[in-house]
Amino acid sequence: MITHALLTDMYQFTMMQGLFTQNKHRTRCVFDRFYRTNPFQGAYTVVAGLEQVIEYVKGLRFSEDDIIYLRQTGVFTEEFLDYLTTFRFTGTIYAAPEGSVVFPGEVLLRVESAKDEAILLETALSMFLNHESLIATKARRIRSVIGKDGVAEFGMRRAQGVSAAVQGARAAFIGGFDSTSDVYSAALYGMRPVGTMAHSWVMSFPTEIDAFRAYADQYENNLVFLVDTYNTLHKGVPAAIQVFQEIRERRGGTMPSIYGIRLDSGDLAYLSIEARKMLDEAGFKEALIFATNDLDEYKIADLKQQGAEITAWGVGTKLITADETPALGGVYKLAGQWEGDTFMPAMKFSDNIEKVTNPGKKKVLRLINTRNNKLIGDLICLDHETVDTTQDYVFKNPLHPWKQTVLKANTFRVQELLVPIFVDGELVYDIPTLAQVKVYGEEQIQLLWPEFLRLRRAPEVKVNISEELHQLKSKLLLEKVGNPS
Amino acid sequence: MITHALLTDMYQFTMMQGLFTQNKHRTRCVFDRFYRTNPFQGAYTVVAGLEQVIEYVKGLRFSEDDIIYLRQTGVFTEEFLDYLTTFRFTGTIYAAPEGSVVFPGEVLLRVESAKDEAILLETALSMFLNHESLIATKARRIRSVIGKDGVAEFGMRRAQGVSAAVQGARAAFIGGFDSTSDVYSAALYGMRPVGTMAHSWVMSFPTEIDAFRAYADQYENNLVFLVDTYNTLHKGVPAAIQVFQEIRERRGGTMPSIYGIRLDSGDLAYLSIEARKMLDEAGFKEALIFATNDLDEYKIADLKQQGAEITAWGVGTKLITADETPALGGVYKLAGQWEGDTFMPAMKFSDNIEKVTNPGKKKVLRLINTRNNKLIGDLICLDHETVDTTQDYVFKNPLHPWKQTVLKANTFRVQELLVPIFVDGELVYDIPTLAQVKVYGEEQIQLLWPEFLRLRRAPEVKVNISEELHQLKSKLLLEKVGNPS
């Protein structure tokens, strides 16, 4: 059986072997994960995928079949393959917890390890975090326009494969969704699986009323009738009302706690408003109106703005495929390495100034206003730096020093974004339950002022690099210019 | 251990149980899979994902843990759960083979089975085929602008999860790619894994020349130097040329069969043209110029048009996430069911005329010009219909009968698109190797005239429904109007 130890790009193996042959493979180094641009033209990204990274790193061993396969490629020496048989991750990983709200340029995960270990992790680690963070972010955008209505993830059939469906449903939950239609994911992660009927149910009976009655006989407490199979307002809603009336009579005048209709086509604003009137007139004021059909945050915002009487939402395709920005461009770059006992910060140079990376072993400090609990901004700094909250602090952009805010002593607190996950190969992180992650995610989004939740053209959250990091970066840039390789 | 038997939407289970309670679950029925709109504004879709469907259907059993989980939801009766423990797929599936080039409205897969079996399959089956067909189609579009250059799939780190990466690489191969960087997928499916070095390799050495030399010492036969870490034309390419010269001297004047450089940033047209000149002047006319960096079919077409001297391509993010159309909207609809011994065709009605489905048990016949082997068009017809190629045949659109072509006797042949996969629960399909699928895919795309490969605003391939199917559809529509449910 081949294992996920092969879940990487071929060049990671050719580089690992190259370093091995040069005896440079155990050079200790630091790699950073970060991204450059917010997805969906928004102001933030919601972190997800760390649990999958942890599972992957913990289980990272080469099976016999992995080795047999690598041997077959003809690219690797027996010495290197031998070495791989005992390969384990023995390094240290710090990362932003799932649910964290983060911004461009910030270190979101930091690996400090032998270089071959750091290299091997890159591809899979990037994939897990890029994918799941993207879906959690899309989900958060949807939640931000939905308010307190219920919202379920319905996307499996259009997902880009099993993991996209299963981990996507989990990421959506982290981003604020309530439930999923995906039974497998619900079972795996302890979410609530939801769903009632499809058009094929209605079409399996001579009339809609027959279909609804048959359903009601069995699922009196989970009654959502799909009313658009033939004609929503002329047939579907009246049929639903008739069956609701039958149920009410049978129950002596009461209704189950949850019941309603689902609209899956047509103009959802118009249909929901008309259906609401019909339901209200028949005395079913508590009936839910559930809407589905290619929804996303924009369509939902429009429907809300047009007074749609929708009380619960199902979002599928456009959430689960991260429509509009189907990839988060998170990258993983060398930030430094030890040469003997000396740590040598490293950076990627580029003619594009925004592609020049931040050198050194770094961390992210969040500065939070203690009065209103809102984020003032994030500081990317070197690992040994601290900010003293009992002193005034000048929070500034070293490239544009006139852009500065003075934080008065004892008016703000500092929170470290990155927490230890693995230390010297040992998992030290107490993995939170998904429910805990969800709560943390809600707290995190509360750190932002509402303007940062705007769907388009949101202002940028302030992220500065520290003066010391700025000095280091400038020094390395100047050295490079003076010392062409 | 929960299994992929749970890989479905919750409503499939509630409907299955509903039918079970009504004793309608074993009603034999026919479901069709089809899609309505070509992805990427193109003229076709390339089918992929059938192998995953076969695996899924073959393995479909409920484990003890599946049953325990379903019981926990509180929605299912013990009778139904008991029934699930012996559940198997016992029906018949016909499908278009992987690599088939197909068009909107065509039946691409047909399930004929007890209704509960057909219902359970819908979600996972749709997901596999939607996802993989989408990637195969994107890959084919890229191949169609690349001509005979080499092209590798490089997308894992940006894929929407493990399956998106692993099955995506396979689908890209079906769509005409040569290789992948994804070692796991290469191992699983027997593709060629490719890759050489990343920027972190170059940054692990004092200078680029050191980095290239170290690499060349080990991989003389797999030499592609990444030349854009510092400055492509001033540093990277000269360093590569110097190391190539050293190799040539060492080898007594010859070069390895494959060697070259990779460009991963900047203006790829300009840089490749300049690099080509430099390589040629140094006598390295055979050196490959490999290009990567957020490529897709449009950027590649532009680069080709601008005379870029690129000989091999790596395509990642935009392929593996199906950028532009991240979901294929394939659907699965009830086409009919038996009532006693009578087959009753069914259709989904809709105010949107294009959403009205085709009723009945159907198939697709491809009409191919025997002289040039090009596709004349596809005919969607009822299962018992035939087209006699020894007679003149009028290929027409029943809605617009003036749109017709007379095919002269003995100038065309007829090919059935759908082939038997499962018959009465038995797998009868001789699953082709991936290499065979690839060859079939190449043959299929050759059926199309070049204008259908246009990236944008391609003409539509003719797909007509038969006169008999048209009559049936009209009859059912009129009955519905006369007999409101």
Side-chain angles (χ1 to χ4, degrees), chain A residues 153-158 165 180-184 193-196 198, chain B residues 5-16 56 70 76 119-124 126:
Chain A
E153 183 280 313
F154 272 14
M156 188 197 286
R157 67 192 58 196
R158 304 284 167 78
T180 178
S181 68
D182 178 338
V183 182
Y184 187 87
V194 294
T196 55
Chain B
L6 298 188
L7 202 63
T8 191
D9 289 307
M10 184 64 171
Y11 74 6
Q12 313 288 16
F13 284 123
T14 53
M15 290 192 290
M16 281 171 76
Y56 159 75
L70 291 174
F76 304 104
I119 282 179
L120 183 59
L121 299 188
E122 175 180 13
T123 311
S126 300

Side-chain angles (χ1 to χ4, degrees), chain A residues 44 135-152 172-179 296-297 300 304 311-313 315 319 438 441-442 445-446 453 455:
Chain A
Y44 61 88
I135 305 302
T137 307
K138 186 78 171 173
R140 177 53 66 191
R141 289 165 62 79
I142 293 167
R143 169 53 80 193
S144 76
V145 296
I146 275 186
K148 292 195 181 306
D149 297 349
V151 59
F173 193 75
I174 292 174
F177 271 50
D178 299 309
S179 55
D296 63 10
E297 62 271 45
I300 292 171
K304 289 247 169 203
T311 50
W313 309 77
V315 183
L319 165 68
K438 192 178 175 62
E442 301 290 344
I445 202 74
Q446 294 298 328
L453 302 183
L455 297 182

Side-chain angles (χ1 to χ4, degrees), chain B residues 427-471:
Chain B
L427 178 65
V428 297
Y429 184 55
D430 192 8
I431 301 173
T433 65
L434 186 58
Q436 289 169 332
V437 171
K438 192 178 175 61
V439 169
Y440 178 71
E442 301 290 344
E443 288 166 11
Q444 281 281 301
I445 202 75
Q446 294 299 327
L447 286 177
L448 301 188
W449 292 103
E451 57 263 39
F452 295 110
L453 303 184
R454 235 178 259 154
L455 297 182
R456 297 270 192 209
R457 289 186 286 277
E460 272 178 42
V461 173
K462 258 187 216 126
V463 177
N464 289 327
I465 67 172
S466 71
E467 185 57 37
E468 194 175 337
L469 176 54
H470 174 64
Q471 297 294 346

Side-chain angles (χ1 to χ4, degrees), chain A residues 317-356:
Chain A
T317 308
K318 294 196 170 178
L319 165 68
I320 210 70
T321 62
D323 191 67
E324 188 183 351
T325 309
L328 177 65
V331 296
Y332 181 84
K333 298 286 176 190
L334 182 67
Q337 54 191 336
W338 274 264
E339 297 187 1
D341 286 343
T342 314
F343 180 74
M344 306 291 289
M347 59 196 288
K348 163 113 174 58
F349 297 86
S350 173
D351 293 339
N352 300 11
I353 185 73
E354 71 276 13
K355 280 203 164 188
V356 176

